[in-house]
Structure formats: C-alpha cells, structure tokens
C-alpha cells in the first residue's frame, strides 16, 4: 500500500495523518495535531512542522513516502513558495517551502505536493467524503472565514469569492461567523462567539438570525454559485453543523428561484483537508 500523509496547515496549527488510499480514509491512530505560532520566525515554524511530520512518518520508508499539504494562500502551489506578505507566516514570504521540506525530510521533489486549503476541503469530499459520485461540485466552507471551491471533474480550484462584492460589503461579512457575532450584538447588545452559543439563546432570536442568514446564503447562491452550474453543493465548516436551523428557509428561496441544487453537508469536516491533500498528491503523482 502506498504510504501517503495528508497535512493541513492552518494559522495556529498543523494537523496530519497517514491516509489509506484504498479505503480512502484517515488512519486515525496516526493523527497528529500540533500548535504552531505562525507569527513567529520561519525557523521556529519549520521546526514545529518537521517535528510533527516526523511523528507521523517515523515508521515509514522515506523513499516510498508521498505527502500532500493543504496551505492557505496566497501561495505558489506548483513551486511551493509562500506569497503571504501580511499577518500569518509573514516571515515565510518568498521562502521556497517545498525545497526546505525536501531537504529537511530527505525526500525528492516528486514526493510532495501543495494544494489550496479551500480546494483541499473539496478534494477531500470527492476523494473520501459525501460527493464521490458527482463530477461538477461547488464547495463552501462556512466558519471563521468563507472558503469557496469548484470541482470540474478533474481538480478542485479555489474560487476565492470571500471578498467578492455582496450587498453593501463583501460575501464573507454576511456568511462567516463574524456575521452571527456582530448581528447578535446589534439585536441584543449581548455577546456570543458563534453559532454554538446562539443555540443557547431564546428561540425567537435564533429563528430571526437563522432566517436572515438563510436569506443571505440563498442570495449568494443566486449571485455566484449558480453561474458554475454545479450538480451539487457541499457545505463544510462549523456553520454547516447548524444547517438544520436554516435549511427549510434556504430551500424555499432556491425553489422560488427555480434552482434545483442538492445540498450535502460535509461527511468528514475537519478531516476533509487532510484527505483532500493526500488524494490530490496521489492524483498528481499518478501512482
């Protein structure tokens, strides 16, 4: 069996596991999640990454290893070069991360592949999740930010719609967690950290907010997603976990617009990017 490791690099963590390419699932006993200070110096970041990777790969033959890495952008995915100039990973700007990892792990260039994190989520759902049987898929991750990706039957591409014009601002302002935080405060003067907290609030407040969220999400689908003519929409991220609370109203809007779009909720959530990175590497390596 091919030795594949899928890695998800986030702003505060690195998460990874070995992946079974035949069962298309994570080998849970190999799962590793480590904190990483992405605002720190590059040597500290590399040390944290390598330490975590060694924990997952220590029992594998290095020459037979295949690694897929889901990375946030901006990033040169083909060559493995970071293009992040502000905020997280700023000390990695223009660093050839692929070459650094090749040297530090003693592997070759054809053993490591990078994919955008939004694309990795969708690749994961195609590879081992809830949309294996579809060929045109739009994926949305609803959480701290807004991720958008489209799978055309061959590869998932990051559509980067988070900052596209929407209502009087941008899409992310209406669809990410901060909308719930800000809108709850505007309505009640109180504080919540996200949708999980909202479920503890009075039912009338919940209903009002989820209805308004459904209105915005439907408008987003009409304005942007419909143009891709997908066979199915798959939703991931923490907000997807409260989908039952806004499902009915969302579907009413779509029916009114004559949009017949099946909606699937992520089967693997946090593990999707790991599976997707591994599946993408397997596809790219043609092994």
């Amino acid at each position: 069996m091919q030795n594949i490791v899928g890695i998800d690099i986030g702003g505060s963590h690195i998460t990874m596991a070995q992946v079974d390419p035949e069962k298309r699932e994570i080998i849970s006993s190999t799962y590793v999640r480590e904190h990483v200070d992405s605002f720190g110096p590059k040597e500290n970041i590399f040390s944290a990454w390598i330490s975590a990777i060694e924990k997952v790969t220590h029992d594998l033959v290095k020459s037979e290893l295949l690694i897929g890495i889901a990375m946030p952008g901006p990033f040169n995915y083909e060559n493995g070069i970071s293009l992040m100039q502000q905020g997280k990973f700023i000390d990695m700007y223009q660093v050839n991360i692929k070459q650094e990892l090749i040297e530090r792990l003693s592997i070759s260039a054809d053993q490591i592949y990078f994919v955008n994190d939004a694309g990795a989520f969708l690749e994961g759902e195609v590879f081992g999740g809830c949309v294996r049987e579809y060929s045109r898929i739009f994926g949305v991750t609803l959480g701290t930010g807004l991720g958008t990706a489209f799978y055309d039957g061959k590869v998932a591409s990051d559509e980067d719609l988070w900052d596209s014009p929407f209502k009087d601002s941008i899409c992310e302002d209406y669809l990410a967690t901060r909308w719930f935080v800000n809108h709850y405060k505007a309505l009640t003067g109180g504080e919540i950290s996200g949708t999980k907290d909202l479920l503890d609030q009075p039912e009338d407040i919940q209903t009002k907010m989820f209805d308004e969220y459904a209105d915005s999400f439907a408008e987003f689908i009409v304005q942007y997603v419909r143009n891709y003519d997908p066979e199915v929409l798959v939703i991931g991220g923490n907000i997807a976990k409260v989908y039952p609370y806004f499902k009915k109203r969302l579907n009413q809007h779509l029916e009114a617009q004559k949009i017949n779009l099946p909606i699937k909720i992520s089967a693997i959530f946090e593990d999707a990017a790991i599976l997707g990175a591994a599946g993408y590497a397997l596809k790219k390596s043609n092994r």
Side-chain angles (χ1 to χ4, degrees), residues 177-231:
T177 298
R178 65 172 173 268
W179 179 85
F180 286 96
V181 174
N182 296 338
H183 200 52
Y184 182 81
K185 187 164 189 176
L187 286 174
T188 70
E191 305 273 347
I192 59 170
S193 62
T195 51
K196 190 176 179 184
D197 288 353
L198 180 58
L199 299 183
D200 297 327
Q201 306 309 315
E203 193 172 331
D204 61 327
I205 291 290
Q206 285 186 45
T207 301
K208 179 174 175 54
M209 290 188 61
F210 282 125
D211 280 356
E212 288 188 41
Y213 187 79
D215 296 347
S216 293
F217 195 21
E219 192 174 328
F220 170 74
I221 291 171
V222 170
Q223 188 173 334
Y224 289 106
V225 178
R226 179 161 64 175
N227 298 334
Y228 290 84
D229 191 27
E231 297 172 273

Side-chain angles (χ1 to χ4, degrees), residues 23-52:
K23 293 182 179 176
R24 299 190 172 203
E25 61 186 33
I26 282 172
I27 301 170
S28 57
S29 61
T30 67
Y31 193 91
V32 169
R33 182 182 176 93
E34 300 279 350
H35 174 76
V36 177
D37 178 11
S38 61
F39 294 96
K42 66 181 179 184
E43 196 51 49
N44 291 7
I45 295 171
F46 274 122
S47 294
W49 287 353
I50 297 299
S51 171

Side-chain angles (χ1 to χ4, degrees), residues 18-255:
Q18 291 179 32
V19 169
D20 185 322
E22 288 158 13
K23 293 182 179 176
R24 299 190 172 203
E25 61 186 33
I26 282 172
I27 301 170
S28 57
S29 61
T30 67
Y31 193 91
V32 169
R33 182 182 176 93
E34 300 279 350
H35 174 76
V36 177
D37 178 11
S38 61
F39 294 96
K42 66 181 179 184
E43 196 51 49
N44 291 7
I45 295 171
F46 274 122
S47 294
W49 287 353
I50 297 299
S51 171
I53 293 169
E54 294 286 5
K55 288 178 184 177
V56 174
T57 62
H58 68 89
D59 61 339
L60 302 177
V61 178
K62 285 283 176 68
S63 61
E64 297 173 4
L65 185 61
L66 185 60
I67 297 175
I69 302 178
M71 283 284 293
F75 195 87
N76 179 329
Y77 293 95
E78 190 64 37
N79 298 310
I81 299 169
S82 177
L83 302 174
M84 294 175 245
Q85 295 187 64
Q86 53 191 4
K88 297 166 184 173
F89 301 114
I90 192 164
D91 203 39
M92 292 288 212
Y93 179 58
Q94 291 195 326
V95 171
N96 191 321
I97 291 173
K98 181 174 184 175
Q99 190 59 40
E100 290 280 353
L101 293 178
I102 285 168
E103 292 172 6
R104 293 169 191 247
L105 294 170
S106 300
I107 58 176
S108 61
D110 62 356
Q111 289 179 264
I112 185 167
Y113 296 89
F114 293 86
V115 60
N116 174 270
D117 52 358
F121 156 72
L122 190 50
E123 288 277 358
E125 293 296 342
V126 171
F127 182 66
C130 65
V131 288
R132 295 189 201 188
E133 68 274 29
Y134 295 92
S135 57
R136 288 181 65 80
I137 308 156
F138 200 92
V140 179
T141 47
L142 304 168
T144 307
L146 170 68
T148 51
F150 180 65
Y151 182 78
D152 63 1
K154 295 178 181 176
V155 70
S157 57
D158 175 21
E159 294 307 311
D160 213 20
L161 295 175
W162 68 274
D163 62 349
S164 294
F166 190 70
K167 297 189 178 184
D168 62 355
S169 184
I170 59 172
C171 296
E172 192 171 86
D173 284 343
Y174 286 91
L175 298 175
T177 298
R178 65 172 173 268
W179 179 85
F180 286 96
V181 174
N182 296 338
H183 200 52
Y184 182 81
K185 187 164 189 176
L187 286 174
T188 70
E191 305 273 347
I192 59 170
S193 62
T195 51
K196 190 176 179 184
D197 288 353
L198 180 58
L199 299 183
D200 297 327
Q201 306 309 315
E203 193 172 331
D204 61 327
I205 291 290
Q206 285 186 45
T207 301
K208 179 174 175 54
M209 290 188 61
F210 282 125
D211 280 356
E212 288 188 41
Y213 187 79
D215 296 347
S216 293
F217 195 21
E219 192 174 328
F220 170 74
I221 291 171
V222 170
Q223 188 173 334
Y224 289 106
V225 178
R226 179 161 64 175
N227 298 334
Y228 290 84
D229 191 27
E231 297 172 273
V232 65
L233 173 67
V234 58
I235 307 173
N238 283 329
I239 296 173
K241 295 174 182 176
V242 295
Y243 175 61
Y245 292 89
F246 60 88
K247 173 182 178 179
K248 183 178 178 182
R249 188 172 175 106
L250 174 63
N251 284 323
Q252 286 171 345
H253 280 302
L254 297 183
E255 284 170 19

